[in-house]
Amino acid sequence: MSINYFGYQTTILNEATLSGVGVHSGSKVSITFKPAEADTGVVFKRTLDNGDTHLIRAIASQVAATDLCTVLGDAEGASVATVEHLMAAFYAMEIDNIIVEIDGGEVPIMDGSSIVFIEALDRAGVDILSSKRRYLRVVKPVRIEAGASWAEFVPYEGTRFEIDIDFDCKLIGRQSWKGDISAETFRRELARARTFGFMRDVEFLWASGHALGSSLENSVVISDDDSVINLEGLRYENEFVRHKTLDAVGDLALAGAKFIGCYRSYRGGHKLNSLALKALLNDANAYEVVETSQPRETPRGGELVAVSGPMFALWTL
């Protein structure tokens, strides 16, 4: 499967269930993927301990926090944390509509990457629907800055990420990943990149109620002498920036539609990604909504045309 800019919306064919622990909560949690109708988008169906259920849409206006992960929440206080690795899998694998039933407050971390979610989607299969997919096409640059960090969207004929990180750590230092995103590229170059952290931060994180489920099975841990503690070592030579790119894909999936353009960032993270996305969506002159001009029978032909009808995602910022 590759990004198809002349395509139609999709969902999954069959249900799929995964179980694991939350990297911050340490609590066991199960998620079940279920097919959804066109124009549903990604919706989390959160079941609380008292049995109540809340529907939380995976869109930028529902972002409740971005400190150590991306958290979605509703007006009644229900939330789902650490959605970024799962959202990256949906985005890269072109799953537009899906219900995610979840019985806890955090998406399971699995191995710290997106690959387990992708394998579950492979098992579920893809169903192509009859409604056209709409895209956000960036038509002018949008840039934000925060101290030494910055992020920007610029016009580009494709979906491209150019991510730079710069850590005061000999093992990491400055790393870059640049490339167009397709299902194949994501699966090959980004999907297995794991979240990472430093041993020196562990006690602080535990004291603040975070990283309670973190382990060498789901995180790359860097020791005080700037070496990798994990016996496995690194999965990629520059796994750190690849994971930051994976995070960016997941955070920008909260646009509620795929974007056509290039996203660049320097020393970014969840907060910067979220602020950049909201800056884009808040500037109606910075993007246009487009879809294919061709019928479903010939999805590879034709051109993308601007549309003025209702948005695929209801962006309320």
Side-chain angles (χ1 to χ4, degrees):
M1 227 175 5
S2 61
I3 296 295
N4 175 10
Y5 290 115
F6 304 98
Y8 280 68
Q9 293 181 38
T10 65
T11 187
I12 55 173
L13 280 170
N14 304 295
E15 295 184 10
T17 297
L18 293 170
S19 297
V21 299
V23 69
H24 291 300
S25 66
S27 300
K28 293 181 179 180
V29 60
S30 293
I31 57 175
T32 298
F33 304 151
K34 293 192 172 183
E37 296 179 354
D39 295 330
T40 298
V42 178
V43 177
F44 287 87
K45 185 177 181 180
R46 167 76 199 280
T47 300
L48 304 182
D49 292 340
N50 63 6
D52 290 346
T53 60
H54 292 249
L55 299 180
I56 304 174
R57 299 192 69 207
I59 53 175
S61 60
Q62 300 300 104
V63 173
T66 54
D67 293 333
L68 294 172
C69 62
T70 298
V71 182
L72 300 174
D74 65 14
E76 299 177 17
S79 63
V80 179
T82 320
V83 301
E84 56 270 15
H85 304 167
L86 178 57
M87 292 301 302
F90 290 155
Y91 189 96
M93 298 299 108
E94 300 187 63
I95 301 299
D96 302 302
N97 306 290
I98 193 167
I99 303 296
V100 182
E101 294 186 348
I102 183 167
D103 63 2
E106 187 177 12
V107 174
I109 190 65
M110 310 313 291
D111 74 339
S113 74
S114 289
I115 191 61
V116 177
F117 301 126
I118 288 175
E119 291 169 349
L121 294 174
D122 287 343
R123 294 193 299 272
V126 177
D127 186 17
I128 301 176
L129 305 174
S130 60
S131 296
K132 292 180 179 180
R133 176 185 290 148
R134 290 183 172 178
Y135 303 85
L136 293 178
R137 180 157 59 191
V138 179
V139 296
K140 77 169 190 178
V142 172
R143 181 183 174 99
I144 64 166
E145 298 182 2
S149 303
W150 57 264
E152 65 181 3
F153 287 92
V154 295
Y156 179 78
E157 285 304 310
T159 299
R160 184 173 178 83
F161 284 77
E162 298 183 356
I163 307 298
D164 285 87
I165 62 174
D166 195 352
F167 281 78
D168 185 17
C169 167
K170 292 180 181 178
L171 179 65
I172 303 176
R174 181 158 185 170
Q175 296 183 1
S176 300
W177 190 90
K178 297 176 173 62
D180 290 14
I181 292 295
S182 67
E184 289 82 3
T185 299
F186 187 86
R187 190 190 297 265
R188 181 180 64 251
E189 299 192 21
L190 301 174
R192 297 178 65 249
R194 296 160 294 174
T195 191
F196 60 92
F198 297 86
M199 275 297 297
R200 62 176 179 263
D201 297 329
V202 168
E203 290 188 4
F204 171 77
L205 290 170
W206 286 346
S208 63
H210 296 94
L212 301 179
S214 180
S215 72
L216 295 178
E217 295 181 354
N218 56 43
S219 305
V220 176
V221 180
I222 303 167
S223 69
D224 293 340
D225 65 358
D226 287 347
S227 63
V228 173
I229 293 177
N230 308 62
L231 293 178
E232 174 188 354
L234 296 178
R235 294 178 174 176
Y236 307 93
E237 182 179 356
N238 56 347
E239 185 168 356
F240 305 104
V241 72
R242 290 174 191 260
H243 185 79
K244 285 292 188 178
T245 305
L246 183 158
D247 279 345
V249 173
D251 289 338
L252 299 190
L254 298 177
K258 291 177 172 59
F259 74 91
I260 300 174
C262 176
Y263 178 68
R264 300 169 176 154
S265 73
Y266 172 68
R267 297 182 63 178
H270 299 303
K271 184 176 182 179
L272 194 71
N273 295 336
S274 179
L275 291 174
L277 177 58
K278 289 186 177 183
L280 175 69
L281 298 180
N282 277 330
D283 187 348
N285 295 317
Y287 68 90
E288 62 181 356
V289 181
V290 297
E291 66 179 27
T292 180
S293 61
Q294 291 290 13
R296 189 168 183 263
E297 290 73 19
T298 55
R300 283 289 181 182
E303 299 178 349
L304 289 172
V305 296
V307 293
S308 58
M311 299 294 189
F312 167 65
L314 303 177
W315 297 305
T316 306
L317 304 177

